[in-house]
Amino acid sequence: MRPLLDVRDLRVSFRQRKKKVEAVRGVDFKIYPRETIAVVGESGCGKSVMVKSLLKLFSTPCASLDSGAAFFNCDNLFRFSEKKMREIRGKEIGMIFQDPMSSLNPTLKIGRQIVEGLRKHYPETTQKMAHERAIELLTLVGIPQPELRLTQYPHELSGGMRQRIMIALALAPSPKILIADEPTTALDVTIQAQILALLKEIQAKTGTSILFITHDLSIVANFCDRVLVMYAGKIVEAAPVHELFKNPKHPYTKKLLRSIPRIDLDHGAPLTPIEGSPPDLSRTMNHCSFFERCDERMHICYKRSPPLFELDEDSRCACFLYDRRRKNEENPS
């Protein structure tokens, strides 16, 4: 099956005074039709920068797309002009941003924001048709009294409703890929569960592929098909979700899973933190970025940066523990 999106060797950096911070360092992944992929990792590992760079949505002029390709419908998105990218954003690849209050325009009513976004991509749509579509979208995302909500401003709605509005805005042009950048972070557990169930329901109806960004592995288990684990700007493990939870390979993934609170442990048992701090991405790293925090480190880990070794058809891991060639050299038959 041909992938909807094929990202190869993506590298993004930021200039800070005299320093160059390499936020994304050679990322490769693919998204297939009707698939849900999670990108997980601790704060600051490059998840949001990676997905925003796919749409050239840089929040600062200091950002730079250093190299890479993102093939969508056989075309490299990074070669498109800004005019062409405006046709792709929303219509082909939609995005639900992390903070709905800062992403929605506080001076415009909800109805106008949805209608304008829809007519921007489909100029032939009349005002009446766009208004009816807006009501349909609000109903789809489970908002009661949709006609009333279209006449309200963002500050008049609750956090859960604003998040549903963001989903409606992203779905308005019927994109093929929906990027959800931590859409449930600021919500309570009940609303969080409703939003996740809603995204799954919408995917079943529309066939949209979802790229779900989160630092919470507990959300991923029942929601996604595949998981990409990021650390220090790189993907260190990629695997089907059931395989990753059952048999994690990378030492960082193992520590992430052990740090999740569990109800089957003794009451009051301390959590298992990941000791140490992430590396400084402004410094050149010719070794494994997880070397200083890893309990399974070897001498080779400090000498070279591990590539993503293929474990099987669906799983990859950036750890020398899975370098078959090295093992053969150390244990010749």
Side-chain angles (χ1 to χ4, degrees), residues 10-81:
L10 175 60
R11 296 177 183 271
V12 182
S13 63
F14 293 87
R15 286 285 178 184
Q16 290 185 346
R17 297 177 182 175
K18 294 182 180 180
K19 290 184 178 180
K20 179 182 179 182
V21 179
E22 296 183 340
V24 180
R25 305 182 300 124
V27 165
D28 301 87
F29 68 93
K30 297 177 183 179
I31 302 177
Y32 292 91
R34 292 182 172 270
E35 185 179 40
T36 303
I37 295 183
V39 182
V40 302
E42 58 196 3
S43 297
C45 69
K47 304 184 300 294
S48 295
V49 174
M50 178 188 76
V51 295
K52 287 180 179 179
S53 65
L54 298 177
L55 295 174
K56 296 185 180 180
L57 291 175
F58 297 116
S59 55
T60 167
C62 301
S64 170
L65 179 62
D66 296 332
S67 69
F71 293 99
F72 179 74
N73 289 338
C74 299
D75 294 318
N76 187 356
L77 294 176
F78 298 153
R79 292 185 178 178
F80 287 170
S81 64

Side-chain angles (χ1 to χ4, degrees), residues 289-327:
S289 55
F290 195 60
F291 175 82
E292 294 181 358
R293 306 172 78 181
C294 184
D295 299 330
E296 303 177 67
R297 60 179 175 260
M298 302 175 288
H299 185 61
I300 192 174
C301 302
Y302 192 72
K303 283 186 169 184
R304 287 192 289 147
S305 177
L308 270 173
F309 296 106
E310 288 194 13
L311 308 183
D312 54 47
E313 188 178 350
D314 300 315
S315 303
R316 295 176 295 164
C317 182
C319 182
F320 284 116
L321 290 170
Y322 304 97
D323 183 359
R324 295 189 181 94
R325 186 173 60 180
R326 180 188 63 81
K327 288 183 178 180

